Amino acid sequence: SRNASKMKPWYLYIVECRDGTFYTGITIDIKKRIDAHNSGRGAKYTRGRGPVKLMHLRRYTDRSAASKAEHKIKKLKRGKKLRIISDFALPGEIVVASGRSAIKKRLYALVVCVREYSFSKYTNTDSVMYEFSDGTTGFSYGYTKIKN
């Protein structure tokens, strides 16, 4: 088998088009992909609907996992996509960490990475694992997204 640590991660993303519609896709380079959508070289759907705005992003270990997730999300109704967008933080957003009884004070954390949470054959569109950083260490656990 190929060396997993050398494989580039794949990203599933949801962008909002200028007309308010959503487009879901996968890529290994999110910045390049957004630039492509915005310059008319992206998907046929987003041509003439730019500029697009990144609304959701999560990381997968390989193309196959990202494709499966993309297929699932593309089938969802708009309301469900909106809920995913509003519930899950994007990398770079600050959140309030929760779910650890040891934490007495509010701990704010920066979302570093969002991955699909999965074990064995179970994978759920609604479960995501976050990698956070508080500036000194990386860690993963629950959080509350700060609504702006």
Side-chain angles (χ1 to χ4, degrees), residues 55 84-90 92-98 106-111 130 132-133 142-148:
M55 303 302 283
I84 287 170
I85 289 165
S86 73
D87 288 351
F88 298 127
L90 282 171
E93 287 184 336
I94 304 288
V95 295
V96 183
S98 64
R106 283 166 78 87
L107 174 64
Y108 292 92
L110 176 71
V111 177
Y130 289 86
F132 299 114
S133 175
Y143 75 94
T144 307
K145 185 169 167 181
I146 300 170
K147 303 277 188 218
N148 44 2

Side-chain angles (χ1 to χ4, degrees), residues 72 116-127:
K72 261 191 212 174
E116 177 126 292
Y117 176 74
S118 58
F119 56 92
S120 68
K121 290 195 171 65
Y122 171 81
T123 311
N124 187 335
T125 313
D126 295 335
S127 327

Side-chain angles (χ1 to χ4, degrees), residues 40-59:
R41 295 186 329 272
K44 195 184 287 179
Y45 183 84
T46 59
R47 280 178 212 155
R49 285 189 168 94
V52 301
K53 182 175 175 237
L54 182 65
M55 303 302 283
H56 185 68
L57 179 70
R58 56 177 100 158
R59 187 178 83 180

Side-chain angles (χ1 to χ4, degrees), residues 1-8:
S1 75
R2 285 178 290 168
N3 185 347
S5 65
K6 283 206 171 72
M7 284 175 68
K8 274 200 166 97

Side-chain angles (χ1 to χ4, degrees), residues 11-17 21-26 33 37 43 45-46 56 66 69-76 81 85:
Y11 296 92
L12 172 134
Y13 64 92
I14 300 175
V15 291
E16 184 176 25
C17 300
T21 58
F22 295 127
Y23 175 80
T24 304
I26 60 171
R33 192 72 184 129
H37 284 305
Y45 183 84
T46 59
H56 185 68
E70 177 192 28
H71 182 70
K72 261 191 212 174
I73 285 182
K74 280 189 166 180
K75 286 196 301 196
L76 300 177
K81 286 179 191 167
I85 289 165

